[in-house]
Amino acid sequence: MAITVRDITADPDLEVRVAAGRSGLDRAIRWAHVIELHDPVRWLRGGELVLTVGLGLGADERARRAYVRRLHGAGCAGLGLAVDVWRREVPPEVLEEGDALGLPILRVEGETPFVAVVEAVADHYAAERTREQHRVLTAQDAMARASLRSGPTGVMGELSSATSGASLLLDRNGMTSAAVPDTEPPWHALVRSALAGRPRGMTVLADGEASVLLQTLGPTGRTLGWLALRCTSPVTPHVRMLANHAASLLAVDLLHSRDARRALYRERAPVLLAAVTGRPRAPLPLPVPPWEVVCLRTPSPDRLLDHAADALTDVLGDTAAARDSALCVLEDVLVAVLPDGGGAPRPGRRLFEALSASDGGPVAAGACTARGPEDLSSAVDRARQAATEGYRHVDETDAWALLRSAVPAEGARAFDQAVLGRLRAHDVRNGTELAHTLRHYLDNSAQVEATARDLGVHRNTLRSRLRAAERVMGRRLDEPRTRLELWTALSLEPVRCHDGTWHT
C-alpha cells in the first residue's frame, strides 16, 4: 500500500502542515526528493514529494506560478517548503496555484529536517515490503499444508485467497481438473484458446482490465498441465512468486500421481498376463464388463507400457474406469483391457491414436470385445490377428471373417464342394437360386414367413424351393448338423471370387 500526502501530514514525528491544495492530499507518494533547481522536471519521474527551501522558486510571481504548474504537469505528489527564520511564509501565488491545481503545498516547520521526511517515506515502503514478504511466506506455507491435506484443490484455494484472484487447473488435454471458484466463467475459454503454441514457462494474458498468468506444469520435455491465475489487481513480483510456488506444488503432485499410476499398472501386469494366457493366478480388478481388449503392435512394447499408462488418463479421464483398466506385455504386443461402452470412437482407437504419434508408438492395433474373464484369452488372440494395419476392432459379427482368414483356400474349397457342390451345380444347370435361398433361410433362423418377405416371394414358393434343395442335397433341413454345415459353407463363401475361383 502506498503512502499518501495525508499520511505524511498526520505523522506525529514530523512537523509538516498543509498550506494549500487540500483536494490532493490522497495523492500517492512514490518517493520524497530534495531539489533546488529552477526547472527540476527533467530529474523527476512522477509521484515525488518535492522538498525545497525555495531557491528555485523564481524571483517574481510569474516564475513562481510557472514552477508550481511544472511540478503538477510532471505528476508530482506535492511540494514541501521549509518555513524558518529565512522564509516565514509561503508566497501567496504558490498557495493559489496549489489550490487551483489540487497540488498539496506543505509547510515543513520547526526542527523537522528534509531527511526525516525522506526517511518516513523510505521506512513506510521498507515496512510494506517486509509485510508483503511475510504475506508471501505465510501463503506459501498455507499452500504447502493444503497440498498435503487436500491436494491440488487446496493449493488453488490458498493461491486464490492470497492473491484475491481466481484459479484454474487444466490437464495436458486442456480439460478442467479443478477451478476456484468451481464455475466456468468466460476467461476459462480465453485460457484454453491460448494453450496452442505457447512457450513453456509463465505467460501473461490480457482479459479486459484483468490479467491472467498462465504457467505450464511439469519437467522439461513434457507438459503435465497448466495453471492459470486471474487477477484484477496489478501483477506484482509477489503475485508471480505465489503463482510459481503453486505451480511447483501442483507439478510435484502430478508427477507423483503419474509415477504412482505407472507403478500400479506395472504391478498388475503379471496378473493380467496370467489371465490372458489362460493361467490366472489371482483376481484382477477390472472395469465392469464388457471390456475392449486391445493389442498394440510395436517394436518395444515394454517401453510403451508407461506411456500407455499416462495416455489412459487422457482417454478415460481420472476415473475409476481408468484406474481399473490393465496393461501387460505379450511378446510383440502391448495388451490393454479397457471398459467398452460401445461408443464411437472406442477407447481402444483413442488410445492407439494418442500413442501412435509418440516416438516408438504402435504401428497397428487390433481390438475385440470380451464379456468376462473367460473371454480374455480368446479376445487377445483375435485382437492380435486383427493388429495388421491401423486400428481394427473385431466384434462378434466379425468372427466369421476371422474363420475365413484362418481356413486355407484348399480346405474352404473342399468343404464348399462337399456341402454345396450338388446345389451349386443344380443352380448352374437349371438357372435356379437354391443356394441363395438357403442363405436367407438360415439368416432368418429358418423362419418361412420372414424369409419369404426377405426374398419377396410367396411362402408357398419358398417352401417349394426348400423341398427342391432337400431333394438335390439328399439331406433334410430340420437336422441341426445339416444347418450347421450349410451355414459354415455359406459363411466361407466370400473366399470365392466372382469368377468362381478361390483365392488364398
Side-chain angles (χ1 to χ4, degrees):
M1 182 182 296
I3 187 172
T4 65
V5 177
R6 190 186 302 277
D7 296 330
I8 290 295
T9 62
D11 191 329
D13 296 328
L14 303 174
E15 292 183 75
V16 179
R17 307 289 179 258
V18 182
R22 293 181 180 276
S23 62
L25 288 178
D26 290 323
R27 291 191 182 196
I29 299 173
R30 188 180 59 81
W31 191 244
H33 190 57
V34 181
I35 192 165
E36 299 295 344
L37 298 176
H38 174 67
D39 187 4
V41 169
R42 61 171 296 192
W43 308 103
L44 304 175
R45 294 173 54 192
E48 293 89 357
L49 173 60
V50 173
L51 303 172
T52 179
V53 297
L55 297 178
L57 278 180
D60 55 34
E61 176 182 342
R62 181 178 179 181
R64 288 190 285 269
R65 287 183 183 276
Y67 179 88
V68 176
R69 287 195 294 269
R70 283 196 298 272
L71 294 186
H72 174 72
C76 291
L79 170 63
L81 284 162
V83 179
D84 53 17
V85 295
W86 184 76
R87 180 186 293 280
R88 292 186 178 276
E89 298 296 334
V90 179
E93 60 271 15
V94 172
L95 300 177
E96 290 173 6
E97 287 294 328
D99 283 332
L101 298 172
L103 178 71
I105 308 299
L106 308 181
R107 294 164 54 98
V108 183
E109 302 175 346
E111 300 297 325
T112 301
F114 285 163
V115 69
V117 179
V118 176
E119 286 178 345
V121 175
D123 290 346
H124 171 85
Y125 285 115
E128 183 65 24
R129 282 193 296 272
T130 300
R131 287 191 294 269
E132 185 65 25
Q133 289 169 358
H134 177 72
R135 285 195 292 268
V136 169
L137 291 174
T138 301
Q140 288 177 334
D141 290 342
M143 283 190 280
R145 290 193 297 271
S147 177
L148 297 174
R149 183 177 60 252
S150 51
T153 303
V155 173
M156 295 169 60
E158 294 294 341
L159 174 64
S160 300
S161 175
T163 59
S164 300
S167 55
L168 171 67
L169 178 64
L170 301 175
D171 62 20
R172 57 177 171 263
N173 293 317
M175 303 301 293
T176 300
S177 295
V180 178
D182 189 13
T183 58
E184 187 67 25
W187 71 272
H188 287 191
L190 169 68
V191 171
R192 291 192 179 90
S193 66
L195 296 183
R198 288 283 172 180
R200 291 185 58 83
M202 182 176 287
T203 305
V204 181
L205 310 174
D207 181 28
E209 297 297 322
S211 298
V212 178
L213 277 70
L214 180 60
Q215 174 72 56
T216 54
L217 306 178
T220 302
R222 183 173 178 83
T223 297
L224 301 177
W226 288 270
L227 169 66
L229 173 66
R230 184 180 187 272
C231 300
T232 54
S233 55
V235 179
T236 65
H238 292 108
V239 171
R240 288 176 175 265
M241 288 175 60
L242 291 174
N244 275 321
H245 185 72
S248 298
L249 292 172
L250 293 170
V252 169
D253 182 82
L254 290 173
L255 284 170
H256 174 74
S257 299
R258 183 197 68 178
D259 292 342
R261 183 171 57 249
R262 288 179 173 184
L264 176 63
Y265 283 115
R266 285 199 171 273
E267 289 175 3
R268 287 173 169 174
V271 183
L272 177 62
L273 180 61
V276 300
T277 54
R279 302 186 302 275
R281 299 187 302 184
L284 179 65
L286 286 170
V288 176
W291 305 314
E292 183 183 20
V293 179
V294 186
C295 288
L296 302 155
R297 195 172 297 281
T298 171
S300 305
D302 188 72
R303 194 178 71 173
L304 191 65
L305 194 148
D306 286 341
H307 295 308
D310 297 340
L312 278 178
T313 304
D314 298 338
V315 171
L316 301 174
D318 188 13
T319 61
R323 293 188 291 271
D324 290 343
S325 298
L327 302 165
C328 73
V329 174
L330 180 62
E331 297 176 3
D332 60 339
V333 296
L334 176 67
V335 179
V337 180
L338 314 175
D340 187 4
R346 291 179 180 270
R349 177 181 290 278
R350 286 182 283 151
L351 178 63
F352 171 68
E353 291 173 351
L355 293 173
S356 58
S358 61
D359 183 31
V363 297
C368 179
T369 300
R371 295 188 179 87
E374 65 280 358
D375 294 339
L376 279 176
S377 180
S378 61
V380 168
D381 291 339
R382 294 168 62 189
R384 288 184 71 183
Q385 292 182 42
T388 56
E389 183 179 359
Y391 167 88
R392 180 187 174 198
H393 185 94
V394 183
D395 58 21
E396 290 79 358
T397 60
D398 290 325
W400 286 108
L402 283 175
L403 177 61
R404 289 195 300 269
S405 64
V407 176
E410 295 79 2
R413 183 173 59 251
F415 187 78
D416 181 273
Q417 181 62 30
V419 177
L420 296 172
R422 292 183 181 179
L423 211 59
R424 293 191 189 282
H426 182 275
D427 284 341
V428 171
R429 189 169 55 250
N430 298 287
T432 55
E433 294 183 341
L434 297 182
H436 178 71
T437 300
L438 286 182
R439 177 62 183 266
H440 283 268
Y441 179 66
L442 295 173
D443 280 344
N444 284 284
S445 302
Q447 299 295 318
V448 172
E449 294 289 344
T451 306
R453 287 194 302 271
D454 193 14
L455 292 173
V457 300
H458 193 275
R459 58 181 178 274
N460 291 334
T461 302
L462 174 63
R463 290 191 180 99
S464 175
R465 291 182 184 179
L466 295 178
R467 287 194 297 270
E470 288 180 323
R471 184 172 61 256
V472 171
M473 294 187 299
R475 306 179 68 177
R476 294 180 56 83
L477 291 176
D478 57 0
E479 294 178 356
R481 180 170 177 173
T482 298
R483 292 185 183 180
L484 173 61
E485 291 178 354
L486 285 170
W487 173 253
T488 303
L490 291 168
S491 296
L492 290 173
E493 195 171 19
V495 180
R496 179 191 294 271
C497 297
H498 294 297
D499 60 1
T501 62
W502 294 77
H503 67 79
T504 58

